[in-house]
Amino acid sequence: MAPTAPSATPAPIIRRLPPDLVAKIAAGEVVERPASVVKELVENAIDAGASAVRVEVQRGGLSLIRISDNGCGIASDQIELALLRHATSKLQAFDDLFRVRTLGFRGEALASIAAVSHLELVSRPATQASGRAVRVEGGEVVSVAPAGCPVGTAVAVRHLFFNVPARQAFQRSPAGESRQIVQLCQQLALTAPHVRLLLEVDGRLALQAPGNGDLRDALAAAYDAPVAGHMLALPELEEDGVRVWGYCSGPEEHRNTRLYCTFSVNGRLVRSQMLSYAVEEAYHALLPGGRHPLAAVHLTVPTDDLDVNVHPTKIEVRFRRDRLVFSVVRRAMRQALSNFAPVPALQPFAIGGPPGGGQDPGPGNGGAQRGSEGHFGNPTPAGEGEAALPLSSPASGPAAGGAGMEGAWPLVPGDGAGALAAGLLSLASAAAGGDLAAGASGGAPGQRPPSGGLRALGQVGLTYIVAEDASGLYLIDQHSAHERVVYEQLLRAGDGSGTAGEGGEGRESGPPAGTQGVAQLLLTPEAVTLNGTQAAWLLEHADTLAGFGFQLEAFGGHTWLLRAVPRTLAAKGRAQAIGELIDGLIEHEYGAGPLDDQARWAIACHSAVRAGDRLAPPEMAALISQLERCDMRRTCPHGRPTMIHLSHAQLEREFGRR
Amino acid sequence: MRMSCAQEQLSRGLAIVSRAVGGRTTLPVLNNVLLASDGERLKLSATNLEIGITTWVAARVEAEGQLTIPARLMADFVNSLPSGQSVLLDANTRTHTLHLQCARYNANIKGIDAEEFPPIPSADDRPTIKLRAGLLKEMIGQVAFSAARDESRPVLAGVNLRLDETKLVLSAADGFRLAKREAALEQGWPEKLDIIIPARALTEVARVLEDGDEDVEVTVTPNRSQVLFRLRAPTGEINLVSRLLEGQFPDLERVIPKTHTTRVGLKRAEFITATRIAALFARDAANVVRLDITPGGEGGLTPGSVALSANALEVGDNRGEIDAAVEGDETYISFSSEYLSDVLGVLNTEEIVVEMTGPLSPAVVRGMGLSEYTHVIMPMHTVR
């Protein structure tokens, strides 16, 4: 027997891929699904300077996607060039990549789409009497012919992925793809409010953005008019070339998905975890768990600060100074929220029209304007008392156009009521002690006292405080409200010790120095026996708790000696809450923020009065006055409302008085 | 039941028992006061199941019987009647209606059968200890406020009462402060007694006690579940029954510091004023009031001083200085302003003594010359 060869398998042969396969692979990067086709083509249209774009899709875009615009068009002699890969009018040299102002620039989209579909391109520039039509099937030009057509470009994409069965298999149902396209077009409409965007899905109108440049109108088109009407304008902030503007929802409006947050950077629709996180941070402690706000955030950054060439679809971007962008976005939202956080109205009546919602100025300066209108209460018509902002916003700092005023005062019809409210205010603050009312009462005429005039009337079911002010009746959840008060006290105390401004940004009035946690020592150390999980957690995080005033000493096994507790807990005599508190922290009952912040909530929660605690009138007055001094007084740290409002107008309607 | 009594006495008796009327609606009879003939007296009782109060009013009894009547309405009605008149009470036990007549005012009040009223134990002939009413009132006032206000550790919501052959000791602690008051007894207790009385009940006892020399008799039921205070005042007899708290009261003796490194004597009035002012600022700063203690100089020629200060970041700050006799080291300590003003409020000596051992150790507050009273406050401190 002759010895066998060491290996029977021949070495694989390396071959160059045929061009059509290369094209299909490349197409796969850009054209993932019908929605990507829509995105690329609509962005092309916007780049072409179109003021109106019409999108038609059938069977989720798998049968037909047609996009027509009134943009600059493509000259007839260049139309075939436009279909070649890496052919573009938008970029000339490598350095241009870092100065990209157009949405597209790679010259890939049209070629990629053409490679995987039957595509028809018809275009006529305004300078030409007639246009030209090109038909491409799977990347092969089938025909080129002159065509009569309006100025602009129309692209019809049929039989998408006809030659890529694998891709076809991964598409969702037509309905699912349609939904994606609708969502995308909503976001594009918010990104480009100056473009009249029309979307027809299977012959039905799905979106009609007016294209008048007003972002609020675009929001109304994308979502619905009442929602858009209630959205809050972000104060227009600019720092180091990073400018932000847009709208976000108040804490009462939320969705169970992040898809309602649209970010546009230099006019480009982007997805960014960093930006999403900035938003979540801003709403931190305002929304119930798992809920997300609505927002349309526009950012302008210097072009050389932005890298859009991260991915062929260009939906992911990188910022050179991402921390700066993060903080500007978060601050803008935080300010918008602290300026305007309406009290949820008692059903069945929805809140009336938003203050100043109708005559909102252009998106550029909408922020400051809107914030101040509701806030300083001067020129707003009396009829809007219903949606008034009865509470102050003492610590809003540079908010509301930087006017630095003391904050809101109820928009009351007529001065008599205002005077009455002022009187009640002094009563309430006298009872509660220590308010700033006195200073303001001697102010200039027309200048309202800085604090609200809520007056406690009594307690319902040992759980809710009934209060009134000039704008109507309020029901206040005593636990939620107190939780909010203690939480902010702890936050303020923490700020002072210079914890690098985390969680305290946007609060320029923060104290210069102060206490972190105040520990009240226990008469006798208390043995706290924890279970294994609790003990393991404590070993790891004892320092965090110590920062708030818990003094715990390991005593062997799972037993710890508690020697001191945070002052707020001592005041309630709840030194024993430690086990429950740790459990809550382990279970993430107190949000998903930094541990410091979770601990702050936890302590606030355990320190607060509970439902069922009887409150004497001075206690109620004190609680209300403390609540009025909070930045985010409308919700407890868990995001539940602290109060609901029943306006005089609602009362009158309910009783049939008008 | 048919009897008559003087309007003033009936009105006063109703006011006393009304303190125990329960506000709960689950058991309607607890909103009522029990009226019963008891020899030549009218017995009035009310209870909220935590405490029960019984008092007696002299009456001319024509027919015996008993009935319960809504306490609030009855008290308000009798209170409004002209004084100096006699009130006729005539109960129809079949319809449970009480007819009242005074001068030319007549009323019928619907009540509830007395059978539904929970029984309130009486002292009978069990052994009792006799105390002076004024003393007991003072002792309760000095101790009960230190009991815990929440129920997370039930025994701490009570006041520990200990009796032996020579003395009576009341003590209470809420985990952050303790108060202990002793009193020597002429006539002791045959056996050692160690019970825990809810602070709320004791506060009610102090309220009905008068600052006199009358005797209060204290009795514990044989199963040690209830305590009974019997006050024989010239205006009438009052019985107050409270349930007792079960459990072991913590040993507070070992918490009381036996030594100190700094001892300060201050005028109580000045101390109260300085505390009150500091508290104005402290209430926005975690209630922290800081005491800076400076010994006097030149062998006692210049007096020492205590500076009380509070600093609220968003409100402002203050500092007040008072003269003090300081023995020992210079030091500082921070207290809750509430704890400080609470104890200063119950001491009636002209001078106050504070003993401490540095900023992180318990401080003892006493009245100068009042060795029977000890108050310990745990300090606060700021963590970084």
Side-chain angles (χ1 to χ4, degrees), chain A residues 619-641:
Chain A
E619 291 176 296
M620 289 188 254
L623 178 55
I624 287 177
S625 123
Q626 287 174 322
L627 183 66
E628 288 183 321
R629 281 185 278 164
C630 287
D631 286 354
M632 297 283 176
R633 65 194 78 85
R634 307 301 191 203
T635 56
C636 80
H638 296 280
R640 291 195 304 265

Side-chain angles (χ1 to χ4, degrees), chain A residues 378-394:
Chain A
N378 17 3
T380 320
E384 290 186 354
E386 190 180 341
L389 311 160
L391 294 182
S392 71
S393 167

Side-chain angles (χ1 to χ4, degrees), chain B residues 170-181:
Chain B
L170 289 189
S171 45
D174 66 2
F176 308 106
R177 55 179 168 176
L178 76 83
K180 189 183 88 166
R181 172 69 202 261

Side-chain angles (χ1 to χ4, degrees), chain A residues 433-434 492 497 511 513-514 516-524 526 546-547 549 551 565 567 570 572-573 576 629, chain B residues 150 152-153 173 175-178 254-255 283-284 286-288 313-314 336 339 360 376 378-384:
Chain A
R492 270 191 285 267
S497 66
Q516 161 75 326
V518 177
Q520 167 69 60
L521 292 164
L522 266 67
L523 208 48
T524 51
E526 222 158 274
Q551 199 177 319
V565 295
R567 196 276 314 180
K572 289 276 148 218
Q576 298 75 24
R629 281 185 278 164
Chain B
D150 69 319
S152 55
R153 278 182 71 195
F176 308 106
R177 55 179 168 176
L178 76 83
R254 61 191 175 86
V255 181
R283 69 182 164 208
D284 283 306
N287 279 332
V288 181
L313 293 168
E314 294 178 325
S336 156
Y339 293 173
L360 296 180
V376 177
M378 294 307 291
M380 296 169 115
H381 71 101
T382 300
V383 284
R384 285 276 139 207

Side-chain angles (χ1 to χ4, degrees), chain A residues 306-342:
Chain A
L306 185 70
D307 183 2
V308 285
N309 195 20
V310 179
H311 188 268
T313 60
K314 290 161 297 195
I315 193 139
E316 311 229 341
V317 292
R318 281 201 209 107
F319 295 94
R320 192 163 59 81
R321 296 175 293 174
D322 54 351
R323 295 189 70 92
L324 173 69
V325 174
F326 179 87
S327 94
V328 171
V329 170
R330 187 182 60 176
R331 201 163 64 226
M333 299 207 123
R334 205 75 190 166
Q335 280 184 19
L337 287 166
S338 71
N339 289 353
F340 184 97

Side-chain angles (χ1 to χ4, degrees), chain B residues 33-313:
Chain B
V33 56
L34 174 71
L35 312 173
S37 56
D38 185 4
E40 278 301 291
R41 295 187 299 179
L42 164 63
K43 184 172 96 172
L44 302 168
S45 292
T47 180
N48 56 15
L49 300 182
E50 278 235 327
I51 60 170
I53 303 180
T54 304
T55 189
W56 286 263
V57 174
R60 195 160 53 78
V61 179
E62 293 172 30
E64 297 192 342
Q66 52 181 1
L67 186 64
T68 77
I69 294 296
R72 181 82 188 277
L73 177 58
M74 170 97 176
D76 287 349
F77 175 74
V78 172
N79 213 14
S80 310
L81 293 173
S83 53
Q85 302 280 333
S86 123
V87 183
L88 172 74
L89 308 171
D90 191 356
N92 183 331
T93 43
R94 195 176 49 80
T95 61
H96 306 308
T97 304
L98 179 71
H99 176 76
L100 293 104
Q101 191 212 327
C102 176
R104 291 164 70 193
Y105 294 96
N106 284 280
N108 293 296
I109 302 179
K110 295 192 165 42
I112 299 175
D113 191 351
E115 294 299 316
E116 291 184 28
F117 199 78
I120 298 177
S122 56
D124 300 335
D125 296 320
R126 280 190 289 275
T128 62
I129 176 83
K130 278 196 179 133
L131 298 168
R132 198 158 53 75
L135 174 67
L136 183 61
K137 188 179 168 107
E138 180 184 294
M139 291 176 77
I140 294 171
Q142 287 173 341
V143 169
F145 70 92
S146 295
R149 258 161 249 167
D150 69 319
E151 309 269 329
S152 55
R153 278 182 71 195
V155 291
L156 292 188
V159 172
N160 182 214
L161 182 152
R162 274 173 296 151
L163 265 178
D164 60 24
E165 284 170 14
T166 56
K167 65 178 193 288
L168 165 70
V169 183
L170 289 189
S171 45
D174 66 2
F176 308 106
R177 55 179 168 176
L178 76 83
K180 189 183 88 166
R181 172 69 202 261
E182 300 182 356
L185 294 178
E186 293 157 21
Q187 172 213 352
W189 185 257
E191 49 182 318
K192 273 196 163 51
L193 184 69
D194 189 341
I195 54 175
I196 309 168
I197 305 166
R200 255 184 315 214
L202 266 193
T203 310
E204 284 305 325
V205 171
R207 220 188 291 267
V208 297
L209 288 176
E210 286 165 30
D211 301 306
D213 286 330
E214 299 84 19
D215 280 343
V216 186
E217 289 175 21
V218 184
T219 313
V220 176
T221 54
N223 60 4
R224 299 227 162 162
S225 67
Q226 284 173 315
V227 63
L228 193 142
F229 296 87
R230 183 194 286 175
L231 172 72
R232 293 186 203 279
T235 45
E237 185 183 336
I238 302 170
N239 281 8
L240 192 145
V241 181
S242 167
R243 71 188 174 94
L244 293 178
L245 296 175
E246 283 175 34
Q248 185 67 41
F249 201 78
D251 176 16
L252 298 179
E253 285 302 324
R254 61 191 175 86
V255 181
I256 299 172
K258 304 290 182 287
T259 59
H260 58 263
T261 55
T262 306
R263 184 174 193 275
V264 183
L266 311 108
K267 291 261 182 294
R268 187 176 72 108
E270 289 179 7
F271 200 9
I272 287 178
T273 305
T275 303
R276 190 179 295 143
I277 291 171
L280 296 176
F281 294 83
R283 69 182 164 208
D284 283 306
N287 279 332
V288 181
V289 169
R290 180 178 155 130
L291 280 65
D292 282 288
I293 292 115
T294 316
E298 299 161 38
L301 285 180
T302 54
S305 71
V306 173
L308 282 84
S309 57
N311 184 354
L313 293 168

